[in-house]
Amino acid sequence: MTGGVVNIGYVELVGASLLMLVAGIVSWRMGLGQSRRIAVSTVRAFLQLLAMGLLLGYLFKYQTWWLVCLVLLGMCIAATQIATGRTNKVVRGLWADVFLSITVSSMVIAFIVVEGIIHADPWYNAMQLVPISGMILGNTLAAAAVATDRLFASMDSRANEIYMMVALGATPREAAFPSIKAAVGAGMTPLLAQLSAAGIVQIPGMMSGQILAGADPVIAAKYQIVVLLMISAATTLSVVIICFLAYKKRFSTEGYYLSPALRDDAGGAASRARPTSLAADVTFRARPPSWQAYGMPTGWREAVGRRGRSRTMGTTLPPNPRRLPCSKATRSRWHRGRIPAICC
């Protein structure tokens, strides 16, 4: 025993890893294809946690304010990488927004707890600041990833509604606000469930750790209450920040809602793309566009119908006397009103 804590030997630690055979056997028998991932994740957990233990031991012994801040910055960057890795299949280019939301929410709440409740001395005491920041970061990154996925899924399902709202003069924030509300609610749901189950269904992590270390159960309960409340505040703040920053990825700088044909999930400037389909043309027709804003030559104009009626906002324009620069089949389809066209 070390200070009231039962020291687990490395032999016992390796034996505990055999518990992961349960997940491996299930994956193998059911053909899930997750066996390799389970093994890699288990090894990574071993190495990362042991490395963290060695790093914290050095940090507690030779702590300085700049070294503690450097460790916190590394933790924030790693949390951002993990959170954005979960959302890259939905939309890219969110790294800065996720980093800002996770870092601001986690560090603000962590310093409030360390200074205002625990009264750490000095303020950068690694024994209090680093573990508390780690608990907050682990929860905020998961909530930010869930909220971001829900935000873009909701906006995609409401695409026609958003097109209509933008066409009627709504701002991007007004058009996206119902989706923002749904995403914030989805990000807060797991935390509310955890708060409801604490003390009845489960003994949360910090309380369990302190009890195993020999602390008084009432003192451990007080610490756990503080932890749950700080995680609740940080998670809510992170979800709100990321939602109000990320929804702009579905709109151009001029306020147009970008259809899938115009989105650039590789992180480029999607709004400069030329519309190539009917779905893309709908986005351009949501508001009277400025062609130069989309990087198009000045001579480009929207093709009009036979009677010179614009499909944009109902404005009568003179018919284009020149032939469409496209194939005969495409011209035939356009004249029958089946596809819009943009031509010289």
Side-chain angles (χ1 to χ4, degrees):
M1 297 182 66
T2 304
V5 180
V6 178
N7 187 14
I8 299 177
Y10 288 101
V11 176
E12 291 82 0
L13 193 61
V14 173
S17 64
L18 297 177
L19 297 174
M20 289 304 297
L21 288 176
V22 176
I25 292 173
V26 170
S27 175
W28 172 62
R29 293 292 296 176
M30 298 186 66
L32 301 179
Q34 298 290 329
S35 301
R36 184 171 182 269
R37 184 177 179 184
I38 291 171
V40 172
S41 300
T42 304
V43 173
R44 281 189 59 180
F46 265 75
L47 297 179
Q48 290 170 181
L49 289 174
L50 291 176
M52 175 62 76
L54 295 174
L55 176 62
L56 289 179
Y58 176 84
L59 191 62
F60 294 163
K61 188 176 181 180
Y62 305 102
Q63 63 179 352
T64 58
W65 70 267
W66 62 267
L67 186 58
V68 174
C69 292
L70 186 63
V71 171
L72 294 178
L73 178 61
M75 293 169 64
C76 291
I77 293 175
T80 304
Q81 287 293 113
I82 296 172
T84 52
R86 298 182 183 182
T87 59
N88 272 346
K89 294 183 179 179
V90 179
V91 64
R92 298 180 183 177
L94 288 175
W95 201 96
D97 296 339
V98 174
F99 178 79
L100 180 64
S101 66
I102 289 178
T103 303
V104 170
S105 60
S106 301
M107 294 301 103
V108 168
I109 300 300
F111 279 107
I112 289 175
V113 171
V114 170
E115 281 292 297
I117 299 176
I118 300 179
H119 305 293
D121 185 27
W123 62 268
Y124 56 85
N125 193 327
M127 192 170 293
Q128 285 87 29
L129 184 57
V130 174
I132 287 176
S133 300
M135 286 186 287
I136 296 176
L137 284 169
N139 287 271
T140 53
L141 78 88
V146 170
T148 305
D149 287 341
R150 179 62 181 272
L151 174 67
F152 291 120
S154 176
M155 292 181 71
D156 291 342
S157 66
R158 295 178 53 244
N160 293 332
E161 177 186 345
I162 294 177
Y163 286 134
M164 180 189 68
M165 294 179 69
V166 172
L168 293 175
T171 63
R173 179 172 176 175
E174 292 171 342
F177 192 71
S179 298
I180 294 175
K181 289 175 60 178
V184 172
M188 296 175 61
T189 298
L191 175 65
L192 297 177
Q194 184 181 4
L195 287 172
S196 301
I200 299 177
V201 179
Q202 64 168 344
I203 300 178
M206 171 168 262
M207 185 175 178
S208 301
Q210 289 196 340
I211 292 175
L212 290 174
D216 184 86
V218 176
I219 297 177
K222 292 178 181 178
Y223 270 90
Q224 188 61 61
I225 291 172
V226 173
V227 168
L228 290 176
L229 295 179
M230 75 179 184
I231 290 175
S232 173
T235 298
T236 303
L237 185 60
S238 174
V239 167
V240 170
I241 293 175
I242 189 59
C243 287
F244 276 97
L245 291 176
Y247 82 90
K248 300 175 184 178
K249 300 297 181 181
R250 283 288 189 260
F251 292 87
S252 69
T253 54
E254 290 81 14
Y256 302 95
Y257 183 68
L258 299 174
S259 66
L262 287 175
R263 296 171 193 163
D264 185 5
D265 286 347
S271 60
R272 294 196 297 270
R274 173 180 175 178
T276 56
S277 65
L278 178 59
D281 190 69
V282 172
T283 302
F284 276 72
R285 291 188 282 112
R287 287 183 182 175
S290 170
W291 301 114
Q292 290 80 6
Y294 290 90
M296 296 182 177
T298 307
W300 284 48
R301 66 189 67 181
E302 182 181 0
V304 296
R306 296 179 182 177
R307 300 180 181 178
R309 196 72 174 173
S310 170
R311 298 169 186 248
T312 303
M313 297 295 288
T315 306
T316 302
L317 299 174
N320 190 347
R322 288 178 285 183
R323 293 168 63 95
L324 290 173
C326 50
S327 66
K328 182 176 180 181
T330 304
R331 291 200 302 271
S332 176
R333 292 175 62 201
W334 178 75
H335 281 299
R336 289 199 300 269
R338 294 186 180 180
I339 61 170
I342 293 179
C343 62
C344 297

